[in-house]
Amino acid sequence: MTDTEEAYEGRAAVSIHPLVLVNISDHHTRWKSLREDPGGASTSGGSAADRVCGILLGVIKGEQTELMHSFELKLNADGSFDDAFKRERLDQYKQVFPDYEVVGWYACDLELEDSDIDRQRDISTLAKDAVFFLMKPSKANSLTDQNPLVKNLPFSVYKMDSAAALFREVDFVFASSDSERVAVDHVIQHAPSNDSKGTSLVVQHLVTLHRAVSMLNVHMEVVQKYLEATARGEVPWHSGILRHAAEVCTLLPSMKLDSYSSAVLEETDNERIVAFLTGVTKILVINDEIRNMYKNEWAAFGSSFKNVMRWADEAKKW
């Protein structure tokens, strides 16, 4: 931990975990790519519903708020949150992360908007003292004059002063566990290349481990073939080499074949179960989307059908 982190940790009101930053960045990237906007991340100037927004999930410990996860939201034409979509997604995330609660919301924009006060009040019905995370993708990183070791990050964290109906910026720190650091490194640095350069630490470790096991297997095959040839009398007996082979065998872990086979089968079964559950989860998500589409189409059809029948009745009267 640096001196700067120690100085801010005692008074920082918000802790941000890396998964939140990854999720928001991914949301904004997908939003920008769908609109084919090569000029940058200017989200202002469009319609009220044309904005990147979402919910922040986490835990509250006393006066400390931890931002652990997030999910995106849909906006209505007037810029307000789609309440039905918000409730549905929140129920789904509650089933997966029962210990997390709504702690605020996020948006991607150049500056604060007047309508953000209304959105903050909406989220405040779900979270007391809700946090507003504003990411500014177009803001370039630059060194601050106060501390050359700290960069201006392209986002700010706010809380609302209810009495004055104004946002006030609050201090924050970054928090992460070892597993989060490894996962984020894998997501950010992984490159789809056969070369180990540019890949994450996870990929490099697995490649190194695979090469080591493969080399050990090649060496053991050489020792095995030499011993078999010696036993058949094809190679002269050499006591020194045989003693080294015996030493190598003593270094290998002793394991009965039955226990090894059962352990391999158990590991294989676990992998198949995980793959099966993953497939089932994908199917359930697709079915849920189809069901929602069907409900919306049926509701629209039912409304149109009722209008047609009403017009037919009026035509009969004429």
Side-chain angles (χ1 to χ4, degrees):
M1 180 179 294
T2 63
D3 295 337
T4 303
E5 289 174 335
E6 290 177 352
Y8 281 88
E9 188 177 21
R11 61 188 181 90
V14 178
S15 299
I16 304 174
H17 284 253
L19 183 59
V20 175
L21 301 178
V22 173
N23 286 346
I24 297 175
S25 300
D26 175 70
H27 186 188
H28 178 267
T29 301
R30 288 185 285 109
W31 174 89
K32 188 173 68 172
S33 63
L34 288 175
R35 283 153 184 78
E36 297 181 353
D37 181 14
S42 177
T43 60
S44 59
S47 64
D50 191 19
R51 200 186 191 202
V52 174
C53 293
I55 289 288
L56 296 173
L57 300 176
V59 294
I60 300 177
K61 301 177 182 178
E63 297 181 355
Q64 182 75 22
T65 302
E66 287 194 45
L67 310 184
M68 311 285 290
H69 209 328
S70 65
F71 63 87
E72 57 196 69
L73 287 177
K74 289 182 179 180
L75 298 180
N76 297 319
D78 59 354
S80 61
F81 296 131
D82 188 329
D83 190 64
F85 181 83
K86 178 178 63 178
R87 295 288 179 180
E88 180 182 2
R89 278 300 180 90
L90 188 58
D91 292 340
Q92 294 173 350
Y93 272 82
K94 277 291 186 182
Q95 297 176 10
V96 182
F97 304 102
D99 297 332
Y100 291 176
E101 57 182 311
V102 177
V103 296
W105 66 290
Y106 71 84
C108 294
D109 211 331
L110 300 178
E111 299 294 341
L112 292 169
E113 292 185 354
D114 295 337
S115 57
D116 289 335
I117 295 292
D118 296 330
R119 299 188 183 98
Q120 181 75 7
R121 289 171 176 164
D122 186 0
I123 298 299
S124 297
T125 60
L126 302 175
K128 183 180 179 181
D129 198 19
V131 172
F132 175 35
F133 183 98
L134 179 62
M135 177 171 282
K136 306 170 184 178
S138 62
K139 179 180 178 182
N141 290 342
S142 60
L143 297 177
T144 60
D145 297 332
Q146 293 82 2
N147 189 347
L149 298 178
V150 181
K151 290 186 177 181
N152 284 327
L153 297 173
F155 55 80
S156 302
V157 180
Y158 301 92
K159 287 189 177 182
M160 190 175 72
D161 186 350
S162 302
L166 295 173
F167 283 109
R168 55 181 177 86
E169 191 168 354
V170 297
D171 295 322
F172 60 86
V173 293
F174 295 106
S176 63
S177 61
D178 292 339
S179 58
E180 286 178 320
R181 284 192 287 269
V182 172
V184 171
D185 174 80
H186 178 69
V187 171
I188 295 176
Q189 298 186 22
H190 178 66
S193 173
N194 293 329
D195 187 4
S196 59
K197 296 181 180 180
T199 58
S200 70
L201 295 177
V202 177
V203 176
Q204 295 179 22
H205 172 70
L206 293 178
V207 170
T208 303
L209 184 62
H210 178 267
R211 290 175 178 173
V213 173
S214 300
M215 187 61 64
L216 176 62
N217 184 53
V218 171
H219 290 173
M220 292 308 300
E221 287 181 353
V222 172
V223 174
Q224 179 183 357
K225 291 179 180 179
Y226 173 79
L227 294 176
E228 291 175 350
T230 302
R232 292 193 298 265
E234 299 175 358
V235 177
W237 186 280
H238 194 289
S239 300
I241 296 179
L242 293 177
R243 280 195 299 269
H244 283 300
E247 291 176 0
V248 171
C249 292
T250 56
L251 293 176
L252 296 176
S254 59
M255 180 182 295
K256 295 182 179 180
L257 183 60
D258 295 338
S259 60
Y260 175 76
S261 300
S262 61
V264 172
L265 290 176
E266 182 179 357
E267 186 71 21
T268 303
D269 291 340
N270 292 336
E271 293 178 357
R272 290 177 177 175
I273 291 173
V274 171
F276 174 74
L277 292 177
T278 303
V280 171
T281 303
K282 291 181 179 179
I283 293 173
L284 291 176
V285 171
I286 294 174
N287 287 338
D288 188 62
E289 293 177 352
I290 294 176
R291 181 180 63 85
N292 292 334
M293 293 173 58
Y294 177 78
K295 284 173 53 180
N296 295 335
E297 293 296 332
W298 180 254
F301 173 77
S303 177
S304 302
F305 182 75
K306 290 180 181 179
N307 292 334
V308 171
M309 294 301 296
R310 179 164 50 84
W311 294 336
D313 292 339
E314 293 178 356
K316 290 180 180 179
K317 294 179 182 179
W318 288 97

